[in-house]
Amino acid sequence: MTLTQWLIFILIIQVVHGLGTWKLYIKAGRQVWEAFVPVYNAVILMKIINRSPWWTILLFLPIINLIMFPVVWVETARSFGKNTYTDTILAVVTLGFYNYYLNYVADVSYVENRDINPKSSSGEWVNSILFAIVAATLVHTYFIQPYTIPSSSLEKSLLVGDFLFVSKVNYGARIPMTTVAAPMVHDTIPVLKKKSYLFNDDITKKKTSWLNKLQLPYLRIPGFEKIDRNEIVVFNSPADSTDNINRFTSDRNYNKPIDKKINLVKRCVGVPGDSLEVRDGFIYINGVKNELPDRAQLQFSYFVQPKSNQFNPQLLKERYDITDRFQIMNNQNTYYFSAISDEALSRFKNHPNVLSITPNKQEKGVRDPSIFPHHPDYNWNNDFFGPLYIPEEGKTIDINLEVLPLYKRVIEEYEGNSLRVEGNQIFINNELATNYTFKQDYYWMMGDNRHNSLDARAWGFVPFNHVVGKPVFIWMSWDGLKNPRWERFFTTVHGSGEPVSYLIPFLVLLFGYYGFKKWRKHKKSK
């Protein structure tokens, strides 16, 4: 739904609420009109049920309000003496319409200064769990989200098994677009392995299903910084779908809600307005070779011919810091190493079992059909790519059949226009177009692991509305053998120099805090 449609829907809900509670408002000593005024009626209701007016805000936050509405329905019934389990169940299963029964049929009286503390241990448990979920969902949705590194795309900067805290406030937190979903999970409910949100993923019904009308338009709370070039960013994969995430045809319609697409982490090597080119595996921005931060290390794949013996994976990891997979390619005993950094390569060349090392680079002008924009006119591959202009909000480019493959998906899918081609003419929203003005910023996200990273070279631009947040902290890290990497606990993601662990200072502060609380409690008891 559009914002206007949502406002109309909310006003209808306000009328439904007023019609079902106005007598209850009167019995609580309030005026009839107070039950009908949007937002204000919620503030008054919080006073009636003896709860904080701050609850009003929670009622209007997507996802969180799914928890808060049943709580308020139950609390309303209890404020008028309906405290049994039956009353509680009826308040919830009728979606609040139990209030109509209390308002028009039941003989109820308002319980002023009601004790809001649970009357049983089970009630205390339910109360605690509900508000723990609300608090965690609030933090997860609008402030900090945990994320685990699943692949070696950014190896050396971020390792497989790193557990991150991703800040949503730096670039601005998105308001959840999928309004009916399970809290604190992404697209799948753990254990049950079921979809965690209400949305019709059938592409033929994407625009007609009533479930999809529950989607909010894209909204973002303003952040305090923009995405800088070479920053590591978490974002929703533009290519994710319920169909096949690895099929990147440029004219394909991806039928999954934006905020429920799979989360990925890559380095933003190109920002809006940049001209990007890849030459021999190295990125050039506006004609200048891009220099990565000192913590980053580029990795490329190589063919290695041994003298005789096989290579020991554990030895290569410990002595040469070669952590990605390698395998025998043919009967000549040639090995394929998917990722080796320059630093590791300089030492690995002297390995007593190495006869020769050959870079696995593609030639310029040889087209790789798996590479964006997946069009025969563009002979691009992993190592030679571009030049390519990265769209910037408000900027206008000439549009013609030559550049259309690069921006067709931006114009149609990401910016919601209709597009058709008739002969040599391009029509956008049924009007002849010779230029196009972009509606939002776009970014180019790539891995440092140049030959073992599924990134923008496969799917193209990442729109700003797909950006989730900025990784800021590694709070825990485990290697592939499930051994802790203590030196990475409580380290920062960005910055220069070797990462410094703040685990010991954190533990000192934590134990100091609990020690102080215990001492203060002991002192008060005396």
Side-chain angles (χ1 to χ4, degrees), residues 69-70 73-74 85-98:
F69 278 129
W73 298 333
V74 171
Y85 284 116
T86 302
D87 293 315
T88 299
I89 292 170
L90 286 173
V92 174
V93 299
T94 63
L95 303 180
F97 281 97
Y98 185 55

Side-chain angles (χ1 to χ4, degrees), residues 235-239 274 372 385 388-391 405-410 414 438 441-445 456-464 466:
F235 57 96
N236 298 116
S237 169
D274 281 349
F372 179 84
F385 185 97
L388 173 72
Y389 172 76
I390 302 174
L406 301 175
Y407 303 107
K408 183 175 185 290
R409 181 153 192 81
V410 167
Y414 302 147
F438 297 105
D441 286 333
Y442 292 81
Y443 300 85
W444 198 259
M445 308 290 190
R457 289 168 294 179
W459 62 67
F461 306 107
V462 174
F464 185 54
H466 282 58

Side-chain angles (χ1 to χ4, degrees), residues 51 83 106 110 123 202 210 228 268 286 300 302 395 461 521:
R51 293 293 183 174
N83 298 302
Y110 178 57
D202 184 344
W210 71 269
D228 291 329
C268 177
N286 304 322
F300 296 96
Y302 295 87
K395 291 299 176 70
F461 306 107
K521 185 177 180 181

Side-chain angles (χ1 to χ4, degrees), residues 212-407:
N212 299 1
K213 303 298 182 184
L214 300 175
Q215 289 280 303
L216 270 173
Y218 166 69
L219 296 168
R220 187 183 290 271
I221 299 169
F224 59 83
E225 68 172 298
K226 290 187 175 181
I227 299 174
D228 291 329
R229 192 181 297 116
N230 292 328
E231 275 190 339
I232 296 174
V233 179
V234 173
F235 57 96
N236 298 116
S237 169
D240 191 18
S241 172
T242 52
D243 182 8
N244 183 351
I245 189 174
N246 296 318
R247 186 160 57 85
F248 305 123
T249 50
S250 58
D251 58 349
R252 173 180 167 213
N253 192 313
Y254 301 117
N255 52 316
K256 202 173 180 182
I258 292 174
D259 56 338
K260 293 303 177 183
K261 293 180 179 180
I262 189 172
N263 289 330
L264 297 177
V265 58
K266 305 288 178 185
R267 191 180 301 280
C268 177
V269 295
V271 298
D274 281 349
S275 177
L276 179 141
E277 187 175 2
V278 178
R279 305 176 194 167
D280 199 29
F282 295 94
I283 293 170
Y284 288 76
I285 301 295
N286 304 322
V288 179
K289 189 175 182 180
N290 186 40
E291 296 294 333
L292 294 179
D294 58 5
R295 289 188 185 180
Q297 293 186 47
L298 287 181
Q299 294 191 100
F300 296 96
S301 60
Y302 295 87
F303 295 108
V304 178
Q305 187 71 41
K307 292 179 179 178
S308 58
N309 302 324
Q310 293 186 347
F311 293 105
N312 184 308
Q314 190 62 29
L315 180 65
L316 294 184
K317 178 180 179 182
E318 294 173 356
R319 185 172 296 178
Y320 301 100
D321 196 27
I322 296 175
T323 51
D324 272 39
R325 62 183 173 84
F326 62 89
Q327 59 189 17
I328 298 177
M329 294 298 295
N330 52 40
N331 294 330
Q332 281 71 44
N333 201 29
T334 300
Y335 279 78
Y336 172 74
F337 281 75
S338 62
I340 303 178
S341 68
D342 287 346
E343 182 181 330
L345 184 66
S346 64
R347 290 182 282 124
F348 186 48
K349 285 178 179 178
N350 300 318
H351 190 289
N353 190 40
V354 170
L355 178 64
S356 65
I357 300 179
T358 306
N360 177 30
K361 292 286 184 72
Q362 294 175 288
E363 295 181 10
K364 184 176 182 179
V366 176
R367 178 175 177 255
D368 184 341
S370 67
I371 296 298
F372 179 84
H374 316 285
H375 193 278
D377 289 348
Y378 288 84
N379 296 322
W380 294 353
N381 56 53
N382 262 325
D383 298 304
F384 292 91
F385 185 97
L388 173 72
Y389 172 76
I390 302 174
E392 182 179 5
E393 181 182 3
K395 291 299 176 70
T396 301
I397 64 166
D398 293 332
I399 195 79
N400 51 52
L401 294 184
E402 182 180 350
V403 302
L404 184 61
L406 301 175
Y407 303 107

Side-chain angles (χ1 to χ4, degrees), residues 99-163:
N99 288 335
Y100 272 73
Y101 168 76
L102 301 181
N103 194 63
Y104 292 106
V105 179
D107 183 15
V108 295
S109 300
Y110 178 57
V111 182
E112 194 171 358
N113 299 321
R114 177 177 64 93
D115 182 11
I116 59 175
N117 294 313
K119 301 298 187 295
S120 64
S121 58
S122 61
E124 285 187 14
W125 274 101
V126 171
N127 195 55
S128 299
I129 290 171
L130 278 175
F131 286 98
I133 293 173
V134 168
T137 304
L138 184 65
V139 172
H140 182 277
T141 305
Y142 297 98
F143 297 97
I144 293 285
Q145 177 179 328
Y147 182 79
T148 307
I149 299 298
S151 72
S152 61
S153 172
L154 292 169
E155 191 74 14
K156 312 311 176 196
S157 292
L158 294 176
L159 309 182
V160 176
D162 280 349
F163 291 77

Side-chain angles (χ1 to χ4, degrees), residues 466-524:
H466 282 58
V467 170
V468 174
K470 179 178 180 177
V472 293
F473 209 65
I474 301 170
W475 62 277
M476 186 171 66
S477 183
W478 296 77
D479 68 13
L481 300 175
K482 302 302 180 184
N483 296 316
R485 304 186 186 106
W486 294 110
E487 73 282 359
R488 295 185 67 81
F489 278 52
F490 285 75
T491 59
T492 56
V493 172
H494 297 90
S496 58
E498 288 295 321
V500 177
S501 174
Y502 295 96
L503 177 59
I504 299 302
F506 170 77
L507 292 176
V508 169
L509 288 174
L510 184 65
F511 285 118
Y513 170 73
Y514 280 107
F516 174 75
K517 280 188 68 177
K518 191 172 182 180
W519 171 81
R520 190 175 180 185
K521 185 177 180 181
H522 179 69
K523 187 176 179 181
K524 281 186 176 181

